Each structure stands twice: as C-alpha cells, then as structure tokens.
Amino acid sequence: MSFKNDPIVRCKDCRAYINPFVRWVENGQKWICPFCGDINKTEAYYYSTIESDGYRTDHDERPEFSCGTVDFIANHEYMNRPPMHPIFLFAFDVSKPAIQSGYLALACSTIKSAIEQELLPGMKDERTKIAFITYNDSVQFYNLKPTLKSPQMLVMTDPENVFLPQPEDLLVDLKDSMDLVLNLLDNMPNYFVNAQTPESCFISALQCANNVIKHWGGKMVFFQVSHMILRNPKLQPANVGNPPKPGTQRIDLLQASNNFFKNTGIELAHGQVSFDLFSFAWGQKKLYKNIRTFADISAHSSGNMYYYPEFSDRQHGLKFTNELYTNLVRKHAWEAVFRIRLS
C-alpha cells in the first residue's frame, strides 16, 4: 500500500501505526489509539466520514482496516536521502591460488548471464550502475567509460597508499557501457592466467571499493580465496589467519577475535552499502580461515557470507553459481518496503 507523498498515519504519542482496532470519534475527525488511548487528529488527506455502524465509508477500500498484515511503501519520511540507483561493485581475488581454483571463470560467466538476461535490479529502467576491481598483491581498477573501445586496466601497485585513479570513470551506467562490461567478463580470467602472487591485499581492495561507492551506497560482492596480506596493525596473523591453538575452548571459536571487521561493517552500513563475501578454501586442506571474524562485516552491513571449504569447481561449481545468481537477481534487498504485523 502507498501513501504517496503523505505521511503514514501513526499515533502521535506511542507511534503505533493505523490498524483495524482504532476507534473513530467526532465523525471521523479524530481517532483513539488502541495501544495508548491517546486521541489523534485525522489529517485532511486521510479523512472519511463515519457510517452508523462506526466504520468509515472507505473501510473496505483500505487494507489497513481489515488485514492483519499490511505492506506500506516507504516514502520520503523514512529516507535519510533520495533513492539512489542500484549500484553493484564486484571485487575478484586474482592471486595464484584463486586462479587455480577455477572460481573466477564461473563467477564471470554467472554475472554475465544475469546481465544479459537483464535480471539485475534497475536494468529494466536502465538505472543500474556497475564497477569492477581485481586484487592480488596490488589492486586493479577498470575504466569502463563508454567512449573506450575496450576496458582499460589501472593498477595501484602500493596497497599501503590507497587512492582512486580516474574516479569518475570507475562507476558507470551499465546501459551505456554494456559492451565493455561483457568484454571484461569474457576476458578477465585470461588476464591473470599466469598469476604468481600467493597472497592478496584484501583489506586494501575493500578500502578502494568503499571509496568508489561510498557517496552513493550500493552492493559490494567480494570473492576471496588466498591468505590476506595483513599489514594493518589491528589484524594480526595470530588471531585472523592462523588456526586456533590446541585446547582452545569451543566458545572462543564462536566469537570474533577482533572488532576490525565489525567496525568496517558498521561503517559500510552508515554509507548504505551492503557487503556480500564469497570465501573459498582451496588447495591446502590445512588452510585456516577465521570465518566467524570475517562474517562480522557482512552481518553488520545487511549482507551475506558464503563459505566453500576445500572448494572444487567440479564438485562445488553448481552450488556456487546458483548461490551467486540468486544473490544478484533477488529484488527484496532493493525494495524500500517494510511490513507491520498487527496481532
């Protein structure tokens, strides 16, 4: 249900929403809240006369007077800024273990399929914006400006000094740069076929991605395989990258080892950014990933985390592509609708 640009009717005292249990007085000019008993004035845009049985004349036309659950379309009153374009930023781990795992080709083909079928939110209205980042021991950006004949790779070789080369061309309208985007997804696995870096600068890539879309908000989708290069003093290998010591209590394994990812998730949420992480353990069966700690960034930014232990593209490829496809095309995460249950 939509109130368009008018405020959704609520009690001025307890803020309860309009519902079937309110009582109308003074021929509908006022109503009594069933929760706190406060008397509220009926605004002119919501006024209707009352029939002899005590119901409004438009009772049957308004679902909030007869339904136990009602969906209200949130208007400007519930927004801290105007609605933004659906924005996607994809960041791919392209270190040597990541390339050898085979995930990159699967991810690129799945994203391409969703784009070609126009299933990303906003594509029907030609509003979707998109950006791509890859990372190993450096961070690679991609200039997808529509006037170019092919995607242009821009490399940030020093992960310690994060900056954005040509920031105005990294986030582009998908409609205008469609050919370049599809070209990039077709060829990205070939760009790094000879990758030799065993680790990746995940933290630097995350900071770069945030700088690209933080002024607009949107959805980050990260793919991470190899060990992270941990130069941040808040992230020590002892509590992030190394297995727990023998004798560690189970309760300790269910708690985050530090608050870095939690704080990062909260920061992203303040910028209207959600973070989805696809994490793969590949190659070394003893490879340890502190999933509980990493999960905080998704949990605190309304995102999702997917983990594939001992990943094999043949064994887990279908599961991975299905979960990625579903993650991209679902619409409920982009619809500004909230539900009020009356019982």
Side-chain angles (χ1 to χ4, degrees), residues 79-98:
M79 302 178 186
N80 58 11
R81 64 180 180 183
M84 306 301 290
H85 297 278
I87 293 175
F88 287 86
L89 186 146
F90 297 96
F92 303 91
D93 183 347
V94 291
S95 60
K96 182 177 181 179

Side-chain angles (χ1 to χ4, degrees), residues 59-133:
H59 180 274
D60 295 334
E61 301 173 8
R62 291 188 173 271
E64 67 266 31
F65 297 142
S66 57
C67 299
T69 301
V70 181
D71 286 344
F72 293 96
I73 299 178
N75 53 32
H76 65 279
E77 183 182 6
Y78 293 84
M79 302 178 186
N80 58 11
R81 64 180 180 183
M84 306 301 290
H85 297 278
I87 293 175
F88 287 86
L89 186 146
F90 297 96
F92 303 91
D93 183 347
V94 291
S95 60
K96 182 177 181 179
I99 298 301
Q100 292 177 340
S101 72
Y103 96 88
L104 183 58
L106 293 174
C108 289
S109 63
T110 303
I111 297 170
K112 180 183 177 182
S113 176
I115 292 175
E116 289 180 328
Q117 297 178 60
E118 297 187 351
L119 295 177
L120 294 186
M123 286 194 67
K124 299 291 186 181
D125 303 323
E126 301 179 346
R127 299 185 302 116
T128 304
K129 292 181 177 292
I130 199 165
F132 294 90
I133 288 176

